[in-house]
Amino acid sequence: MSYRTGLTVMMVSALVALGCGLYAYFTPLTGVTGVWGPLAAAFGALCLLLGAALMIRARARGLRVLLLVLLALGLLLTAIAALLMHQWAMLAALAVCALGWIAALSGPEGTYV
C-alpha cells in the first residue's frame, strides 16, 4: 500500500469511526447514550481525520514525523476509549485506520527533504 493510499484509508476509516461515535451518543439503548465518552471518542476520530488530511499537505520531514507520532497517540487513545465503551464497530474502524497509519510510515515517494 502506498503513502497516499494509506492516508486515504486513514481518513475514510476515521470518518467511519466518527460516525460510530456519534451513533453511540445519540442512539438509545447503546449503553453510553448521552454521556461524554462517545463524544470524546468521536472527537478523537475527528482529530485523526484532520491529522491525516494535514499529512497529505505536509512537505517537511520533521512535520510528517511529528504528525505521525501524534496520529499514533490519538489512534491508541481513541481505540482504548472505544474498547472501554464496547463499541466494536468503532474499534474495527480504528484497526483499519492503524493499517493505514502503518502504510503512511513509508513517506511520500521521491522526496527526501
Side-chain angles (χ1 to χ4, degrees), residues 85-102:
M85 291 185 298
H86 301 280
Q87 297 298 316
W88 308 119
M90 185 177 200
L91 195 59
L94 291 170
V96 172
C97 190
L99 293 176
W101 181 84
I102 290 171

Side-chain angles (χ1 to χ4, degrees), residues 57-76:
R57 303 298 298 167
R59 298 283 181 233
R61 175 176 270 176
L63 180 59
R64 286 194 310 263
V65 169
L66 176 68
L67 283 171
L68 279 172
V69 169
L70 291 175
L71 283 171
L73 183 64
L75 187 59
L76 178 69

Side-chain angles (χ1 to χ4, degrees), residues 1 23 25 56 65 76 78 80 82-83 87-88 92 102 105 113:
M1 191 180 322
Y23 175 82
Y25 179 76
I56 291 175
V65 169
L76 178 69
T78 306
I80 289 172
L83 179 69
Q87 297 298 316
W88 308 119
I102 290 171
L105 287 176
V113 176

Side-chain angles (χ1 to χ4, degrees), residues 14-43 45 85-91 93:
L15 192 61
V16 170
L18 175 66
C20 290
L22 292 177
Y23 175 82
Y25 179 76
F26 288 112
T27 304
L29 300 177
T30 58
V32 289
T33 304
V35 297
W36 63 271
L39 284 182
F43 179 73
M85 291 185 298
H86 301 280
Q87 297 298 316
W88 308 119
M90 185 177 200
L91 195 59

